[in-house]
Amino acid sequence: MNPEPEQDTNDKKGTVIARFGKSADIETSEGQLLNCAIRKAMISIVCGDVITWQGHDNNDCVICDRQERKTLLERPDASGKYKPIAANIDQIIIVSAPRPGIDLDMIDRYLVAAELIHIEPLILLNKTDLYEKDELQKMQDLLNTYQIIGYDIVYSSVKQDHGLETLLNHLRGKTSILVGQSGVGKSSLAKHLLPDIKIAIGKLSDTSGQGRHTTTTTRSYHIDAASSLIDSPGIREFNLWKISPSEVASGFREFAEHHGNCRFNDCAHRREPDCAINTAVTEGKIAKRRYDSFIRLCDSFQEQVQKR
Ligand code: GDP
Ligand code: ZN
């Protein structure tokens, strides 16, 4: 009796490296790279999704299922509809630098976004070579307010090859993404971490901000077998979507132990009587600068509503 021709219907595991229209690059659990077709039901898969696939090679492989996501990074498109960008990210690295300038409110916006999607943030101050010693000390004192509330901070200089080993230790075993204003050094950092990848480094004088990067698709790169960096042109400078004041408050992690103690359940933490957040600010338990930043963030969403 002739054996049946071998037909492979066994599901195998893989991870999506990059998503294109009707196909996706995947890395199989054996470390093989394949370009797989996507079944209609799997149309929403994105970079970072853990999937099962069937087939043998580029000619016949197809993605048939996806595992539940641990985390999902989304971004509203032009019509305001949320579009998934990348899945299963463990860490958002918020990069700042003395040039183009440190904007603490912007760091706070990224922190709120990270808190709301339950991805651990890491604060990275790059280009420390541009500081005089006493300036750097001042900056460290300022950023210590973040350390006190439980955020890790790394100081680096790509130019002087300083702090990059420490950064690498924070990346180990995780899938991370670099975010932050244009010009802070994200591409330079990525290039250092992934020396074999062609990543275009921009100049601060290039104000167009367009077309400086060679990649246009969100893509995952291995740093080592257990660590990856996701590069996403759409998300590098992502901004916070519109959220309610209570969501903003839940993005300020040091508020958590206080805001249940406000007299009113729907306290906006402004001039309400017996506001536990205001009390905590007065008692020095919440940094005044963070509180002010919270108010500015709430106001900015209020303005958006009024402009409509
Ligand atoms: P991105 O827009 O965030 O990706 O920033 P780039 O990586 O393109 O860097 C913007 C500019 O800053 C480039 O001219 C880099 O050479 C420069 N740069 C990056 N890292 C450092 C650093 O640690 N120190 C200094 N002095 N310049 C840096
Ligand atoms: Zn309150």
Side-chain angles (χ1 to χ4, degrees), residues 262 267-269 275-277:
C262 295
C267 184
H269 316 306
C275 167
I277 296 293

Side-chain angles (χ1 to χ4, degrees), residues 259 261-264 267-270 272-278:
H259 58 49
N261 301 331
C262 295
R263 187 201 291 186
F264 303 111
C267 184
H269 316 306
R270 288 178 185 252
E272 291 86 348
D274 297 329
C275 167
I277 296 293
N278 272 296

Side-chain angles (χ1 to χ4, degrees), residues 53-64:
W53 62 281
Q54 291 177 353
H56 297 93
D57 52 36
N58 279 336
N59 297 319
D60 69 350
C61 63
V62 57
I63 294 174
C64 32

Side-chain angles (χ1 to χ4, degrees), residues 99 126-130 156-160 180-189 200-204 212-213 236-237:
R99 207 177 295 150
N126 187 38
K127 306 197 192 183
T128 52
D129 57 281
L130 295 179
S156 71
S157 164
V158 180
K159 199 172 171 187
Q160 294 181 333
Q181 246 180 301
S182 177
V184 292
K186 298 180 295 297
S187 314
S188 308
L189 287 158
I201 311 293
K203 291 235 162 35
L204 268 176
R212 294 197 291 114
H213 297 275
R236 284 191 196 113
E237 293 160 53

Side-chain angles (χ1 to χ4, degrees), residues 153-282:
I153 304 171
V154 173
Y155 296 87
S156 71
S157 164
V158 180
K159 199 172 171 187
Q160 294 181 333
D161 196 355
H162 170 78
L164 299 167
E165 208 42 53
T166 312
L167 173 61
L168 205 53
N169 287 336
H170 280 274
L171 298 171
R172 290 235 160 83
K174 294 179 189 154
T175 297
S176 308
I177 187 162
L178 297 165
V179 301
Q181 246 180 301
S182 177
V184 292
K186 298 180 295 297
S187 314
S188 308
L189 287 158
K191 199 172 176 207
H192 182 90
L193 296 163
L194 311 158
D196 299 336
I197 310 287
K198 281 204 178 80
I199 293 173
I201 311 293
K203 291 235 162 35
L204 268 176
S205 55
D206 175 1
T207 49
S208 77
Q210 299 290 314
R212 294 197 291 114
H213 297 275
T214 48
T215 51
T216 53
T217 310
T218 300
R219 195 167 188 101
S220 173
Y221 300 99
H222 272 300
I223 298 168
D224 58 40
S227 328
S228 309
L229 194 64
I230 289 187
D231 186 40
S232 173
I235 215 83
R236 284 191 196 113
E237 293 160 53
F238 86 116
N239 215 325
L240 205 51
W241 54 97
K242 191 185 164 333
I243 53 173
S244 69
S246 73
E247 284 176 305
V248 180
S250 65
F252 282 72
R253 63 162 62 161
E254 70 274 41
F255 289 15
E257 61 178 294
H258 304 287
H259 58 49
N261 301 331
C262 295
R263 187 201 291 186
F264 303 111
N265 276 339
D266 61 348
C267 184
H269 316 306
R270 288 178 185 252
R271 288 174 210 278
E272 291 86 348
D274 297 329
C275 167
I277 296 293
N278 272 296
T279 307
V281 174
T282 313

Side-chain angles (χ1 to χ4, degrees), residues 75-84:
R75 200 173 72 121
D77 64 12
S79 63
K81 245 181 77 184
Y82 283 98
K83 264 185 68 180

